[in-house]
Amino acid sequence: MATARLFLLLLLLSASCSAWEISIRMPTADRLEAEVVAPLIHALRPLLGSGGQLAARAGVACDSWRLGVEAHNVINWKTVPAKCEGYVGHYLLGGHYRRDSAVVVDEAIAYAETLQLAGNGKEVWIFDIDETSLSNLPYYAKHGFGVTPYNDTSFREYVAEGSAPALPETRRLYRRLLEIGVKPVFLTGRTEDQRAVTVANLRKQGYSGWEKLLLKPAVHGAAGGLHAPAVAYKSGQRQKLKDSGFIIVGNIGDQWSDILGEPEGARTFKLPDPLYYIG
Amino acid sequence: MATARLFLLLLLLSASCSAWEISIRMPTADRLEAEVVAPLIHALRPLLGSGGQLAARAGVACDSWRLGVEAHNVINWKTVPAKCEGYVGHYLLGGHYRRDSAVVVDEAIAYAETLQLAGNGKEVWIFDIDETSLSNLPYYAKHGFGVTPYNDTSFREYVAEGSAPALPETRRLYRRLLEIGVKPVFLTGRTEDQRAVTVANLRKQGYSGWEKLLLKPAVHGAAGGLHAPAVAYKSGQRQKLKDSGFIIVGNIGDQWSDILGEPEGARTFKLPDPLYYIG
């Protein structure tokens, strides 16, 4: 009986399997609204976007792989498993990604609101940029959702457009911290030559009033690109902040390399990212 | 059209919503077989067990909460959100938990097989016990799947039965490590007075040949119970192992407190556990 139901379910849903590509759009509302997360692909999500049953039958449990990534068990991966392209696409473009991000940010705000601040302007919160403050989903939706190897040239071209939307949950945290009196510091793998477009993009997306925007020295190509080693660089920058008298009360990023390595910050938050891994 | 389909889907699945309690059983096969993970509750899983859509409508995105727990964003929680009891039950008793655990263990074995061992018998792998080597699902299935506060007395009574099943994925890792030549060390929050029953339970479940079984001093009650501080205790014990000349090549547990705190071990693995949090 259960099997019959499942087959009917599969039958109903498989009809719309080919339709998801035409519904690529990033919900932009600050709060997650039911209508925002109900695009064409909605009906697929319970099966492909989260259950991963179809993926499991194809030999890759995409939801389990994603959990492995988020819990830092699956590391040093180069690309998303080919069979998980559809899964990752559905996850990111449906409401699931937004819902997962909302829980992280709710937790971060609840924590921030408990802080006893000295009020001397030295308390900062570290924000990563890509897939944290800004979302590159419009790029990755056109480039196989992490299934194809990272292309520094085309990604830089995309960044140069300055068109990346905000991740609305992160912007909500950012604004709440400003209200509370914690100063945001951006710490990114983007390079100095991308400063102007990054500033413009952040401002356009509603970010303002940051304390610092720390970019890497302007080195073009792979060595200075998205996939250059990050743990040492980012923890080194945080150490410099600490040495300058700043107190890092919080730190949020989509990569474990954003939040590992002393000084991590008093508390760290890992946003979901099943698109790429930076070690 | 998508909405109509979703309603039909909901209608089909809601009929079996009340049936899951009678299907409580722990799959015991060493490898995850399709037939093992297809109990009565199977048809529910895409909706409740992973998608979390029903839970989200009830105001708690249980799957997002679980991800928050696994990625160490949601910390210091006392009990599972009340509305997530059904979700957590389905997650653990359906195939999802096993699938998630399998990915972690596959990754651990792949890592272990790359190790260049000195072969001097000093290379060890730390195993936590509860919800890592042994599963207390039979207990938690009768006690609200983490929704009710931890009860040290009744949990100790359960442990005293020595009836906990192995988590088959962990046992697979354990056996592979023995073949490779890495020695297992159990490091647990269980107390010395539970040594005999713990040894018997582990042996009965197919564990043998461990190097050490490290339990806490026998202190009854809350202070020595499951929820006593663990990071300091466990990292202290790992430091002692290191001081004795052991090399901790790996470390696996279901709690972040199993794997945080120097020396962590050369690589750490976090198994899923949406039942309880130990800080």
Side-chain angles (χ1 to χ4, degrees), chain B residues 24 41 57 60 71 90 124 128 266-267:
Chain B
I24 290 171
I41 60 172
R57 280 169 204 182
V60 185
H90 281 76
V124 296
D128 173 53
R267 196 166 155 193

Side-chain angles (χ1 to χ4, degrees), chain B residues 195-259:
Chain B
R195 179 178 287 274
V197 72
T198 300
V199 167
N201 199 155
L202 286 169
R203 291 222 169 105
K204 189 178 163 191
Q205 289 299 318
Y207 291 99
S208 61
W210 55 81
E211 176 72 18
K212 286 174 185 287
L213 167 56
L214 303 171
L215 301 104
K216 290 173 99 170
V219 183
H220 286 282
L226 184 67
H227 290 279
V231 173
Y233 169 71
K234 291 203 165 180
S235 55
Q237 291 294 311
R238 289 195 300 272
Q239 186 61 51
K240 281 186 192 170
L241 285 169
K242 198 177 164 186
D243 294 344
S244 310
F246 287 103
I247 298 156
I248 304 170
V249 297
N251 179 6
I252 190 166
D254 63 297
Q255 298 289 323
W256 279 96
S257 56
D258 292 330
I259 57 182

Side-chain angles (χ1 to χ4, degrees), chain A residues 5 16 42 46 50-51 53 61 63-64 67 70-71 73 75 96 99-100 103-104 107 256 267 269-270, chain B residues 5 16 42 45-46 50-51 53 63-64 67 70-71 73 75 96 99-100 103-104 107 256 267 269-270:
Chain A
R5 283 175 188 163
S16 45
H42 191 188
S50 336
Q53 284 295 98
D63 62 338
S64 297
L67 181 71
E70 295 306 331
N73 291 310
I75 66 174
H96 203 167
R99 220 162 53 229
D100 288 350
V103 165
V104 180
E107 200 70 16
W256 280 96
R267 196 165 155 193
F269 296 90
K270 165 74 176 75
Chain B
R5 280 175 189 164
S16 45
H42 190 188
R45 208 179 323 131
S50 338
Q53 282 298 97
D63 62 338
S64 297
L67 181 72
E70 295 305 332
N73 292 310
I75 65 174
H96 203 167
R99 219 161 55 229
D100 288 350
V103 166
V104 180
E107 201 70 18
W256 279 96
R267 196 166 155 193
F269 296 90
K270 166 74 176 74

Side-chain angles (χ1 to χ4, degrees), chain B:
Chain B
M1 194 55 196
T3 311
R5 280 175 189 164
L6 198 65
F7 263 99
L8 183 52
L9 193 155
L10 278 168
L11 200 68
L12 284 170
L13 296 178
S14 60
S16 45
C17 271
S18 58
W20 70 272
E21 271 187 273
I22 59 169
S23 65
I24 290 171
R25 62 197 184 86
M26 172 80 179
T28 50
D30 246 337
R31 294 295 309 203
L32 199 59
E33 303 291 343
E35 54 268 40
V36 170
V37 298
L40 273 180
I41 60 172
H42 190 188
L44 276 175
R45 208 179 323 131
L47 199 63
L48 259 185
S50 338
Q53 282 298 97
L54 286 188
R57 280 169 204 182
V60 185
C62 295
D63 62 338
S64 297
W65 173 82
R66 180 174 63 85
L67 181 72
V69 167
E70 295 305 332
H72 208 219
N73 292 310
V74 179
I75 65 174
N76 296 329
W77 48 281
K78 301 299 177 194
T79 53
V80 171
K83 282 171 179 163
C84 297
E85 176 178 353
Y87 169 83
V88 169
H90 281 76
Y91 170 75
L92 290 168
L93 294 167
H96 203 167
Y97 173 48
R98 293 288 307 276
R99 219 161 55 229
D100 288 350
S101 301
V103 166
V104 180
V105 163
D106 288 347
E107 201 70 18
I109 289 177
Y111 158 71
E113 288 175 345
T114 67
L115 291 172
Q116 302 288 322
L117 298 176
N120 58 2
K122 284 295 191 179
E123 284 136 335
V124 296
W125 191 292
I126 310 289
F127 284 80
D128 173 53
I129 292 183
D130 293 297
E131 269 54 72
T132 298
S133 303
L134 298 176
S135 169
N136 300 311
L137 254 180
Y139 174 84
Y140 284 100
K142 287 183 191 163
H143 292 81
F145 289 111
V147 166
T148 51
Y150 173 68
N151 183 318
D152 195 60
T153 307
S154 72
F155 184 71
R156 280 182 166 267
E157 283 169 9
Y158 167 78
V159 167
E161 293 171 14
S163 61
L167 212 157
E169 280 69 36
T170 305
R171 189 171 54 195
R172 178 159 61 89
L173 169 63
Y174 183 98
R175 288 174 174 167
R176 185 73 189 106
L177 289 173
L178 283 176
E179 287 171 2
I180 290 170
V182 175
K183 295 189 173 176
V185 169
F186 289 112
L187 174 54
T188 175
R190 290 190 179 195
T191 48
E192 277 293 349
D193 56 312
Q194 296 173 314
R195 179 178 287 274
V197 72
T198 300
V199 167
N201 199 155
L202 286 169
R203 291 222 169 105
K204 189 178 163 191
Q205 289 299 318
Y207 291 99
S208 61
W210 55 81
E211 176 72 18
K212 286 174 185 287
L213 167 56
L214 303 171
L215 301 104
K216 290 173 99 170
V219 183
H220 286 282
L226 184 67
H227 290 279
V231 173
Y233 169 71
K234 291 203 165 180
S235 55
Q237 291 294 311
R238 289 195 300 272
Q239 186 61 51
K240 281 186 192 170
L241 285 169
K242 198 177 164 186
D243 294 344
S244 310
F246 287 103
I247 298 156
I248 304 170
V249 297
N251 179 6
I252 190 166
D254 63 297
Q255 298 289 323
W256 279 96
S257 56
D258 292 330
I259 57 182
L260 289 177
E262 291 190 5
E264 296 89 355
R267 196 166 155 193
T268 62
F269 296 90
K270 166 74 176 74
L271 285 166
D273 185 355
L275 285 167
Y276 52 83
Y277 180 87
I278 301 178

